[in-house]
């Protein structure tokens, strides 16, 4: 469990500095302005390419993907002894990951001054898209890029349903071999 907390704290500390530009819908700040962008004020051309880029999803949560489990996975809420029982929603997460069927899995870690999310969109057996996001008192909102990853084998997740280990409770351990994507295209 200490590994999960230290990993998520590292993500929270480094992510705002490494995060991509968050001036889109997720990171938008309402400052009361007219909504004009720098390109509009500078007399930039408003061609179809700009509108298309603005309409492109920035977050996996913007994609219309089935969410089979009632609640986000809250692995950080388990104690170090793993004495807490898995909830029906936790079991749903592991069953969904084992199935390889297209779905959205949300994970959340809550800290006193920050929240970190790691979202997965299963695109097929053994393959998923992953994206980290969150907010903190010190760094505000942040959104990382999307990665295409290989899921752990089905047996990993079925074992997690029977006897959860610290690896099962660490959403970072659910995948291997992640490569960044240049842009997000919602699966479907």
């Amino acid at each position: 469990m200490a590994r999960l907390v230290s990993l998520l704290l590292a993500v929270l500390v480094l992510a705002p500095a490494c995060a991509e530009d968050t001036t889109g819908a997720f990171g938008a700040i309402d400052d009361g302005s007219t909504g004009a962008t720098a390109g509009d004020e500078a007399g930039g051309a408003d061609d179809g390419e700009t509108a298309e880029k603005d309409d492109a999803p920035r977050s996996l949560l913007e994609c219309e993907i089935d969410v089979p489990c009632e609640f986000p996975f809250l692995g950080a809420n388990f104690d170090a002894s793993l004495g807490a029982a898995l909830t029906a929603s936790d079991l749903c997460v592991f069953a969904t990951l084992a199935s390889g069927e297209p779905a959205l899995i949300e994970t959340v870690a809550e800290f006193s001054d920050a929240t970190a999310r790691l979202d997965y969109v299963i695109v097929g057996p053994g393959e998923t898209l992953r994206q980290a996001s969150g907010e903190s008192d010190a760094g505000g909102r942040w959104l990382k890029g999307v990665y295409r990853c290989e899921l752990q084998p089905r047996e990993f997740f079925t074992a997690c349903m029977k006897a959860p280990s610290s690896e099962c409770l660490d959403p970072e351990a659910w995948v291997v071999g992640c490569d960044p994507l240049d842009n997000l295209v919602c699966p479907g």
Side-chain angles (χ1 to χ4, degrees):
M1 181 48 67
R3 179 176 168 237
L4 173 64
V5 171
S6 60
L7 176 65
L8 288 173
L9 283 175
V11 168
L12 284 172
V13 171
L14 296 175
C18 301
E20 64 183 47
D21 178 24
T22 58
T23 56
F26 182 82
I29 298 173
D30 182 6
D31 61 358
S33 68
T34 62
T37 64
D40 294 337
E41 293 169 7
D46 184 21
D47 57 17
E49 184 179 319
T50 303
E52 185 177 305
K53 185 176 179 182
D54 291 342
D55 292 342
R58 294 178 46 85
S59 167
L60 288 175
L61 298 177
E62 293 177 47
C63 298
E64 293 183 21
I65 306 291
D66 182 40
V67 180
C69 306
E70 186 175 359
F71 300 107
F73 184 79
L74 302 172
N77 288 350
F78 284 74
D79 63 16
S81 68
L82 299 174
L86 293 173
T87 66
S89 190
D90 295 334
L91 291 171
C92 172
V93 166
F94 292 129
T96 301
L97 290 163
S99 77
E101 295 294 319
L104 171 66
I105 301 293
E106 297 177 75
T107 71
V108 177
E110 293 283 341
F111 303 97
S112 62
D113 63 347
T115 301
R117 293 176 189 81
L118 195 54
D119 300 314
Y120 292 89
V121 170
I122 303 168
V123 294
E127 189 177 354
T128 188
L129 301 178
R130 181 188 77 183
Q131 186 173 38
S133 64
E135 59 263 348
S136 68
D137 291 348
R141 287 186 171 189
W142 54 270
L143 178 67
K144 300 280 283 191
V146 178
Y147 288 78
R148 181 175 302 277
C149 304
E150 182 181 332
L151 281 170
Q152 291 281 4
R154 173 180 165 75
E155 296 77 28
F156 175 88
F157 299 110
T158 56
C160 290
M161 288 188 284
K162 296 175 186 170
S165 66
S166 58
E167 249 192 333
C168 294
L169 303 179
D170 179 0
E172 286 281 347
W174 298 350
V175 295
V176 293
C178 295
D179 296 311
L181 294 179
D182 291 333
N183 56 13
L184 172 60
V185 176
C186 290

